[in-house]
Amino acid sequence: QTTGYKVKVDAACGLTIAGPTKTGRTISLTAGWNLMPVLSECNVEPQTLFAGNEEKVLLLKEVGTAGVWWPSEGLNTLGEINSSRAYWVKLTESVSITFPDCKKSFVENDKHTVDVAVVTANTHIVGISSLALEAGDPGDQILAFDSDGLLAGVLTIEGISPQVAALFGDDSLSAEKDGFADDELIYWKLRQQNTGYYYDLIPTYAANMPDQGMYSHEGISLVESFEADLTGTKEISSRFY
């Protein structure tokens, strides 16, 4: 009753889960990664849910989207925790949290959907610093490719404030490779909005993060800066999903 699940379907559908309504709204989470369900019928802000324990949260991310709450980096693309979804949360130590007792009173939206047609349940979260964003201008895109030229992560530059990119990993249940393999090198490019040109980006990663340069399922990285290739190309050979 306090376990989250990943479900793969071949088309959009509703899922009805039968059983008695759970009365308890407190869940115990352990140090490390936890697949967390939502024991509430309404949205709740992550800061409220983890009040008093924020310093123990390394990262919280929504399964299958780019929504992230990263307290130490001041990043929140998640907004609120949604009762119809599940979340991965990584903690430095065990905590107990209690969801609010309320009735569903919100309208769902898909604001976290990214511009990549195939979205998998495996993600590597990469913070992009203000300095790294200076590699482009607002409206330009920072793209992440695997070694086969598969586009598996897109970030549109919005301004100078730090942003976060979700890189999607391969789904082992799919016939074709549809994301990064574990321990695969991440290739970065910048696409200029006004010219359509692509430029190779050479990243410098923060050494204090768990991962640097290689994709990892449930990985966490921070790009401190990008060095852009001075020669751009109009087209690139790639597989876009």
Side-chain angles (χ1 to χ4, degrees), residues 5 8 15 19 26 29 68 85 121 124-125 137 152 183 190 199 208 216 224:
Y5 294 90
K8 181 176 180 179
L15 179 64
T26 298
L29 304 171
V68 168
R85 295 175 180 156
H124 181 135
I125 299 301
D137 296 313
D183 293 325
L190 175 76
Y199 297 84
N208 63 331
S216 175
E224 294 182 330

Side-chain angles (χ1 to χ4, degrees), residues 1-4 22 26-28 35-37 39:
Q1 292 182 337
T2 57
T3 303
K22 183 173 175 59
T26 298
I27 183 172
S28 296
L35 185 54
M36 183 185 78
L39 307 182

Side-chain angles (χ1 to χ4, degrees), residues 137-141 143 145 189-200 231-238 240:
D137 296 313
D140 292 349
Q141 291 181 312
L143 312 174
F145 295 87
K189 290 182 181 291
L190 175 76
R191 182 184 184 278
Q192 285 186 336
Q193 180 186 39
N194 60 342
T195 66
Y197 275 78
Y198 295 84
Y199 297 84
D200 291 331
T231 304
T233 57
K234 188 67 175 177
E235 295 182 357
I236 56 175
S237 175
S238 64
F240 288 86

Side-chain angles (χ1 to χ4, degrees), residues 87-103:
Y87 297 81
W88 281 109
V89 56
K90 188 172 187 179
L91 303 168
T92 58
E93 57 184 279
S94 299
V95 302
S96 292
I97 55 174
T98 301
F99 288 88
D101 184 6
C102 55
K103 297 298 182 182

